[in-house]
Amino acid sequence: MACVISGLPESIIAAACARSGQRVLHVDSRNYYGGNWASFSFSGLLSWIKENQQNTDLSDECEDWRKLILENEEAIPLSSKDKTIQHVEDFCFDDQDSAEGVEEAGALPKLPVFGAPAAKGVSVGSEESPAEEGVSPGSEESPAAEIPVPESAEQALGTEPERAEPGDGAEPGDGAEPAPGSGTSPSTDSAESAPEPGTTEAAPSESAAQEPKKITYSQIVREGRRFNIDLVSKLLYSRGLLIDLLIKSNVSRYAEFKNATRVLAFREGKVEQVPCSRADVFNSRQLTMVEKRMLMKFLTFCLDYEQHPEEYQDYESSTFAQFLQTRKLTPSLQHFILHSIAMVSETESSTLEGLQATKKFLQCLGRYGNTPFLFPLYGQGEIPQCFCRLCAVFGGIYCLRHSVRCLVLDTASGRCKAIVDQFGQRISAKYFIVEDSYLSESTCTNVCYRQISRAVLITDQSVLNTDSEQQVSILTVPPLESGKAAVCVIELCSSTMTCMKDTYLVHLTCPSTKTAREDLEPVVQKLFNLNTEKETENEELEKPKVLWAVYFNMRDSSGVEKNSYAGLPSNVYVCSGPDPALGNDCAVKQAETIFREMFPTEEFCPPAPNPEDIIYDEDEVEPEESGLSNSAETKPESSAEESSSGADAAVTKEE
């Protein structure tokens, strides 16, 4: 199987194929993993911005590869230019001249780059210890396979939100560099490490009332390696498809997660915290006793609404907002449920869609903490790399900075038989996975794309200050005017390993109606202080100050049917880019659907064996206890079933 680009769906498919015994070649013209799912350091993001603002084609336009196409073959050219990112605008709200000559701390000497500007998409280990940032240190005694917490222990986890999932601590950024908390550092048992998140929260609470520290642009540049900035902003539902897949496949051993600590609401011009769990509801001072009973009664109904169709069947053709008005809920409760729990559209979502979303939210509560969401340390870009690592462990081959010129179609059979790369090599395979952005305009003539508006901000304080500075928050801002979509805001603190100390990384996302700046800047102005002048109103001074911002539009190719693409053979499968939804269910469903079409008898992503369970041949020497050098030696033997299916997708090279 040949896979072109390394986004999340493609990475999951590649890992599943390699795990089932197939031979996989994964090529990507970019010099980083993840495609539009990637994460960047601050300097890497600046390079990415510059590359997309220049809008130049860096590939070689020479078409000598056409000479390699035989008489009974036809070429399907692939696009040499990524057109999925548009309207990129970045702004600095500090003196940029002060950053001239400032070098990134800990940066390696720049190496010659082949074909494109350097844009490192790998996360870098922090010099601060994991304990200082509130991250659970990795330990071999706390394997990631234990993620599904028993129901009896879920309430205990709710009191320890900072330690959502104690994985093995390996950072899936770059295999050549051990991550903080990996097996190369002294491991601590779970009994010793459990109290650490609680103790790390004490220090910020003492200084929360103090004024935020002055952060300059030169400091951001100098500490740029502490940033891991995602191109796509998502959270993981604790009982969502991606978490289930990470657990089932044992890929969770390659990552660590932090629990989202609070759900916020924007109402009447103010940001306030939404009570989620039963304990939060009854401890809330925002709600009256009557409202608490009304809310608990409605949420209990939502958990098993299918058993009471008489309660909602008369409103199936109504919107969820209209249905809430019939439930005798106060306006504040309706707002909380619609925008912060169900998180659905006020004007477009039906009653059933709202009930389903509310039930999903409630079912995910309590598994790892007091909210339904998890966030991967070092950013969402780690998840594709985790699956790339699993694929590589089982023999997958990865080639970055390696572009593909065309697909080779056998006119007799109507199937794709090979690809031609930038060096003129023909690489044969039985199946081909291509990301939508690689298809040419002629192939996508009949495709109608949507757009996603994105903004990333670096701010000096949280949108809602509390005793603890280390908060991971999600906020849905209702449409500020008719015709606009609600904006999802995710605020990340430094303990997520995505930003430097004393700063916050804020992601804003919504379906596009105009350019990203036109869609999102009104919301930014409501929540943050954009003024660079010293003289500002008191109301603006209370808001977090934006230090740096970038806006861009990203193509949304989710939901496009395969028959919409012109002239694609049946053994070429197209994966979409990121979708605007908060979770990752779309990518997981797409990956599983494609895998089952290719190999209907194979299991999708079966569990990978633990290193201690691997049985070696007599001639092999068991590798050392730890170290990166053993990765090639720990490849498990294929079972008889895997071996029998591995030959029919062999990848070969032709002269």
Side-chain angles (χ1 to χ4, degrees):
M1 186 196 78
C3 217
V4 183
I5 205 178
S6 52
L8 180 58
E10 299 91 332
S11 300
I12 295 175
I13 295 170
C17 291
R19 182 66 186 91
S20 63
Q22 313 301 323
R23 298 183 62 189
V24 177
L25 172 65
H26 208 142
V27 296
D28 197 330
S29 62
R30 299 177 174 93
N31 59 349
Y32 54 86
Y33 289 99
N36 284 345
W37 302 79
S39 300
F40 294 99
S41 66
F42 186 72
S43 61
L45 184 63
L46 293 180
S47 298
W48 179 87
I49 290 172
K50 184 178 180 181
E51 179 180 337
N52 283 278
Q53 285 177 335
Q54 288 176 342
N55 203 25
T56 56
D57 191 352
L58 299 173
S59 62
D60 185 8
E61 292 296 336
C62 179
E63 296 190 356
D64 290 343
W65 53 268
R66 292 189 178 274
K67 300 176 182 178
L68 302 174
I69 306 302
L70 305 179
E71 292 183 1
N72 60 340
E73 296 174 344
E74 181 181 337
I76 303 177
L78 297 180
S79 176
S80 58
K81 186 176 182 180
D82 184 7
K83 299 180 180 179
T84 59
I85 305 296
Q86 297 178 334
H87 309 300
V88 182
E89 302 177 74
D90 62 313
F91 302 91
C92 179
F93 297 90
D94 191 57
D95 183 12
Q96 284 186 285
D97 295 336
S98 63
E100 290 187 7
V102 176
E103 294 185 1
E104 195 175 62
L108 297 175
K110 292 184 178 180
L111 299 176
V113 177
F114 179 80
K120 288 292 288 181
V122 297
S123 53
V124 182
S126 170
E127 296 177 2
E128 298 181 11
S129 67
E132 292 173 347
E133 289 289 355
V135 182
S136 55
S139 171
E140 294 181 1
E141 298 177 14
S142 56
E146 297 182 75
I147 291 182
V149 181
E151 297 297 327
S152 59
E154 290 177 355
Q155 297 302 321
L157 266 178
T159 63
E160 190 183 81
E162 294 295 319
R163 189 181 182 192
E165 187 276 303
D168 69 350
E171 176 194 347
D174 189 344
E177 186 170 339
S182 65
T184 57
S185 61
S187 62
T188 57
D189 57 36
S190 57
E192 294 176 351
S193 60
E196 290 183 3
T199 58
T200 56
E201 294 295 337
S205 64
E206 298 174 1
S207 60
Q210 300 178 3
E211 295 182 1
K213 294 182 180 179
K214 172 70 174 176
I215 303 295
T216 63
Y217 183 70
S218 59
Q219 287 178 278
I220 294 175
V221 173
R222 186 180 298 109
E223 300 293 328
R225 287 166 63 86
R226 296 193 184 275
F227 288 89
N228 287 289
I229 304 173
D230 294 321
L231 294 183
V232 58
S233 176
K234 290 182 178 291
L235 293 175
L236 283 70
Y237 280 92
S238 63
R239 296 188 190 274
L241 295 181
L242 184 54
I243 286 290
D244 291 343
L245 181 61
L246 289 168
I247 295 169
K248 172 190 174 185
S249 61
N250 273 350
V251 172
S252 54
R253 73 178 73 180
Y254 300 135
E256 289 183 285
F257 300 87
K258 184 178 177 69
N259 182 239
T261 54
R262 59 186 183 178
V263 178
L264 305 178
F266 184 74
R267 182 170 173 266
E268 297 178 352
K270 295 182 180 180
V271 177
E272 49 189 315
Q273 187 165 349
V274 177
C276 296
S277 65
R278 181 185 296 270
D280 289 342
V281 170
F282 286 106
N283 291 330
S284 174
R285 296 180 180 179
Q286 303 165 249
L287 306 178
T288 66
M289 186 59 66
V290 174
E291 286 180 316
K292 293 176 181 180
R293 291 175 180 171
M294 294 167 63
L295 179 59
M296 288 307 303
K297 181 179 179 181
F298 179 77
L299 297 181
T300 303
F301 156 71
C302 290
L303 275 172
D304 60 350
Y305 73 91
E306 297 98 336
Q307 307 301 321
H308 307 282
E310 69 281 357
E311 297 280 346
Y312 64 87
Q313 60 186 4
D314 293 338
Y315 304 97
E316 290 185 4
S317 58
S318 304
T319 64
F320 187 53
Q322 293 170 338
F323 173 71
L324 292 177
Q325 294 173 3
T326 68
R327 302 295 298 185
K328 299 180 181 180
L329 299 168
T330 63
S332 60
L333 291 182
Q334 292 180 38
H335 183 94
F336 288 162
I337 295 169
L338 183 65
H339 297 293
S340 300
I341 296 179
M343 290 183 282
V344 294
S345 171
E346 186 173 353
T347 57
E348 298 179 3
S349 298
S350 67
T351 298
L352 283 177
E353 290 173 341
L355 290 173
Q356 290 168 358
T358 303
K359 180 178 179 179
K360 180 178 181 180
F361 183 98
L362 297 172
Q363 286 179 326
C364 294
L365 280 174
R367 190 177 192 186
Y368 302 121
N370 288 334
T371 72
F373 306 110
L374 295 175
F375 181 80
L377 297 189
Y378 304 98
Q380 177 75 24
E382 294 298 286
I383 302 299
Q385 295 186 61
C386 289
F387 287 99
C388 289
R389 177 173 292 183
L390 177 65
C391 178
V393 166
F394 285 90
I397 300 173
Y398 282 81
C399 299
L400 298 181
R401 303 175 188 167
H402 198 108
S403 61
V404 176
R405 294 289 185 253
C406 71
L407 303 172
V408 180
L409 176 66
D410 183 0
T411 54
S413 63
R415 293 173 63 86
C416 184
K417 61 188 298 187
I419 58 175
V420 177
D421 68 7
Q422 65 191 51
F423 301 109
Q425 297 180 103
R426 289 169 58 103
I427 304 173
S428 301
K430 187 174 182 180
Y431 300 103
F432 301 85
I433 313 297
V434 183
E435 208 266 351
D436 173 271
S437 64
Y438 274 66
L439 299 177
S440 63
E441 292 184 2
S442 59
T443 304
C444 303
T445 303
N446 301 323
V447 179
C448 182
Y449 293 111
R450 299 182 297 268
Q451 296 287 326
I452 304 170
S453 291
R454 289 276 293 115
V456 182
L457 316 176
I458 300 175
T459 66
D460 64 344
Q461 58 179 315
S462 174
V463 291
L464 182 63
N465 286 319
T466 59
D467 291 341
S468 172
E469 292 180 353
Q470 299 302 313
Q471 299 278 5
V472 178
S473 310
I474 176 171
L475 164 66
T476 301
V477 179
L480 299 181
E481 58 184 81
S482 60
K484 294 283 188 178
V487 176
C488 178
V489 181
I490 296 176
E491 183 184 72
L492 306 172
C493 59
S494 60
S495 64
T496 62
M497 304 302 184
T498 59
C499 57
M500 62 179 282
K501 190 177 180 182
D502 298 321
T503 64
Y504 289 84
L505 194 65
V506 182
H507 292 272
L508 296 92
T509 309
C510 74
S512 298
T513 58
K514 299 179 181 178
T515 67
R517 184 182 177 189
E518 291 173 317
D519 285 338
L520 298 173
E521 194 170 51
V523 175
V524 174
Q525 292 172 343
K526 286 282 186 181
L527 297 173
F528 302 97
N529 176 13
L530 296 176
N531 294 326
T532 56
E533 300 178 1
K534 294 182 180 179
E535 296 182 2
T536 56
E537 299 179 3
N538 291 334
E539 182 181 350
E540 289 295 315
L541 288 174
E542 295 176 358
K543 297 179 181 179
K545 181 182 177 182
V546 177
L547 307 173
W548 182 88
V550 61
Y551 299 88
F552 60 91
N553 289 92
M554 178 182 291
R555 178 191 292 177
D556 174 17
S557 55
S558 62
V560 177
E561 298 293 334
K562 184 178 178 181
N563 54 19
S564 301
Y565 301 103
L568 282 185
S570 59
N571 62 332
V572 175
Y573 299 90
V574 181
C575 289
S576 66
D579 62 293
L582 179 62
N584 297 272
D585 286 1
C586 179
V588 177
K589 288 179 181 178
Q590 187 177 57
E592 184 170 5
T593 299
I594 292 176
F595 177 83
R596 296 198 184 284
E597 287 183 16
M598 294 189 296
F599 309 107
T601 61
E602 296 288 343
E603 183 182 358
F604 179 64
C605 279
N610 293 316
E612 59 270 19
D613 297 332
I614 299 173
I615 300 175
Y616 297 90
D617 292 336
E618 294 180 359
D619 298 336
E620 290 188 84
V621 179
E622 188 167 342
E624 298 295 328
E625 293 181 2
S626 63
L628 295 173
S629 60
N630 68 355
S631 59
E633 300 174 17
T634 58
K635 180 181 176 182
E637 295 182 17
S638 300
S639 64
E641 180 181 356
E642 292 170 343
S643 301
S644 64
S645 61
D648 61 1
V651 177
T652 60
K653 287 188 177 181
E654 301 176 2
E655 293 298 325

